[in-house]
Amino acid sequence: MKSVKQIDFYDREMETLDRVQLRAAQNEGLRRLLQTLAAIGFYREKFDEAGMDFESIHGLEDLKRVPFTTKAELAAEQQAHPPYGRLLSYPLLRYTYLHQTSGTTGQPLKCLDTREDWEAWMRCWGYVYRGAGVSADDMVFCAFSFGPYLSHWTAIDGARHIGALALSGGGLSSEQRLRMIIDNCCTVVVCTPTYALHLADAAERLGLDLRSSAVRTTIHAGEPGASVENVKRRIEQAWGATCFDHAGATEVGAWAFDCQAQSGAIHLNELDFIFEVIDSETGERVDEGTRGELVVSTLSRPGMPVLRYRTGDLVELTTEPCACGRTLARIRGGILGRADDMLILRGVNLYPSAIDNLLRALPAIIEYEVEIRRIAGLDDLLLKIETNEPESFANVKDAVLAAFRSQLNIRVSVEQAAEGTLPRYEFKARRYKRVAQ
Ligand SMILES: [Zn+2]
């Protein structure tokens, strides 16, 4: 593996604030956020309905009395009051950026940002890049489609913000992207974990050696993969680079970032966001270290802020000090799963990331798809697997069945998928399909 630079910061003073000062800064930020929200129709109505007033919230402790906000609510608001809903703090004239979500789980959500919001996005990406040791010396390749998706534009603008030379990989085939990465001696590649594996596979077929390329660092989000041990290891081996995770959402921001301590836990950006972890069922806060759903409030996105937004992401928070020196809390294993994508297989609760971890340990597997069938009230899994050596599929099948049995204690069905038939994902992978019986 190529060497990683020394531990670096985007804003050392802020990233190493003691937690008492950090809490005070968050309380101050919350007061400003509430003032902004009081002028937004959607939130005024929400507070009215809950019989609350903005002045009654004095700090982080009071926040737990405030109703949550969900993506479904924001989408419904935009449908009821098109096109943007009563979600904006300022007249439209003041906004300079408009993006939308992919809408895979419903209507796309439109998100608007002012110049000030964009500056905050750049700062958040500053933490992501500097956390991964990326600097002005670097050449950053963004392997995205650059559609209406906010993360693609913030990733490339963020790279420029820290002074790096940023290359857009939009509108290109995988081969064109690989050649651009190699020809330009790019040192950093930003993409989803799935796409990093796909590029590695494509490189092998083309006879291109990524391990001897200049790529030293890969940065991933969009899926939990980069914090899933075997996915991370496989990306690192294929690229000869160090793989960094981060997390974000269009309607929230880039809210978590990895660091060079590579502790297996990624930092929460508590400077631009307030985080709570709740029990998805009861909505009550859970103790540090207990797995729960992450709830986020935005402190530095005044154009279209969110309050107690339920991300649906399951996390385990820790405030233990990190070897990198940052005092910001971390989440162990990154995003562990989604509150709504848990599978229940013969009494075993299972998240897709556990399946990903298991399958990615087997180097012969190139791509896979999971069909979930409901049989007698229980979920049953059929795995369709594509391998690099189709003729020796029986060995792979045996290994998969044995791994499921020994590691997860469940029985699954395995089927061979013909070479090149499973979709290759550039954006968020959608490998799970529910099938009606
Ligand atoms: Zn750290």
Side-chain angles (χ1 to χ4, degrees), residues 185-207:
C185 300
C186 293
T187 50
V188 180
V189 171
V190 187
C191 62
T192 65
T194 295
Y195 195 65
L197 288 173
H198 171 60
L199 278 181
D201 181 42
E204 206 178 306
R205 284 165 199 272
L206 291 162

Side-chain angles (χ1 to χ4, degrees), residues 7 257-263 265 267 322-326 328 330:
I7 284 184
F257 63 98
D258 210 343
C259 72
Q260 287 158 290
Q262 293 279 287
S263 64
H267 286 283
C322 180
C324 72
R326 290 179 180 83
L328 304 173
R330 286 174 297 156

Side-chain angles (χ1 to χ4, degrees), residues 267-413:
H267 286 283
L268 293 173
N269 175 354
E270 296 176 286
L271 302 165
D272 292 278
F273 306 91
I274 292 171
F275 298 95
E276 300 166 85
V277 183
I278 60 157
D279 179 315
S280 287
E281 301 289 320
T282 64
E284 299 292 324
R285 284 184 190 170
V286 299
D287 293 334
E288 184 173 326
T290 304
R291 182 175 295 203
E293 181 181 345
L294 190 75
V295 170
V296 187
S297 302
T298 48
L299 295 176
S300 55
R301 204 177 176 189
M304 193 172 160
V306 289
L307 182 68
R308 297 205 91 198
Y309 183 77
R310 291 184 68 152
T311 60
D313 295 322
L314 296 174
V315 298
E316 284 173 19
L317 187 145
T318 173
T319 54
E320 279 173 20
C322 180
C324 72
R326 290 179 180 83
T327 49
L328 304 173
R330 286 174 297 156
I331 46 175
R332 289 203 176 94
I335 296 173
L336 300 168
R338 303 266 314 157
D340 52 7
D341 69 6
M342 188 177 75
L343 304 165
I344 303 169
L345 297 157
R346 307 195 192 288
V348 180
N349 294 352
L350 189 62
Y351 289 98
S353 54
I355 295 177
D356 209 23
N357 193 40
L358 188 152
L359 294 176
R360 294 301 184 193
L362 301 168
I365 297 179
I366 297 173
E367 194 46 88
Y368 67 94
E369 195 167 87
V370 182
E371 276 187 13
I372 309 155
R373 295 173 294 181
R374 197 89 174 149
I375 298 172
L378 295 169
D379 286 334
D380 187 69
L381 297 191
L382 169 64
L383 275 65
K384 296 181 175 176
I385 294 178
E386 201 179 311
T387 63
N388 56 8
E389 288 172 11
E391 56 286 354
S392 55
F393 183 75
N395 298 339
V396 174
K397 181 177 175 175
D398 288 346
V400 169
L401 292 175
F404 269 89
R405 226 176 10 248
S406 66
Q407 294 176 36
L408 302 171
N409 200 25
I410 54 169
R411 196 194 295 267
V412 293
S413 310

Side-chain angles (χ1 to χ4, degrees), residues 8-17 22 119-134 158-159 161-162 219 244-247 254-260 267-273 300 326 328:
D8 223 333
F9 293 88
Y10 175 72
D11 185 340
R12 181 188 290 266
E13 191 187 335
M14 293 306 286
E15 289 171 79
T16 57
L17 271 187
L22 182 62
E119 276 167 27
W121 271 106
M122 292 305 98
R123 186 168 60 245
C124 294
W125 271 92
Y127 295 124
V128 172
Y129 281 122
R130 301 294 282 156
V134 180
H161 172 70
I162 59 149
I219 300 179
F244 292 84
D245 194 11
H246 80 100
W255 51 260
F257 63 98
D258 210 343
C259 72
Q260 287 158 290
H267 286 283
L268 293 173
N269 175 354
E270 296 176 286
L271 302 165
D272 292 278
F273 306 91
S300 55
R326 290 179 180 83
L328 304 173

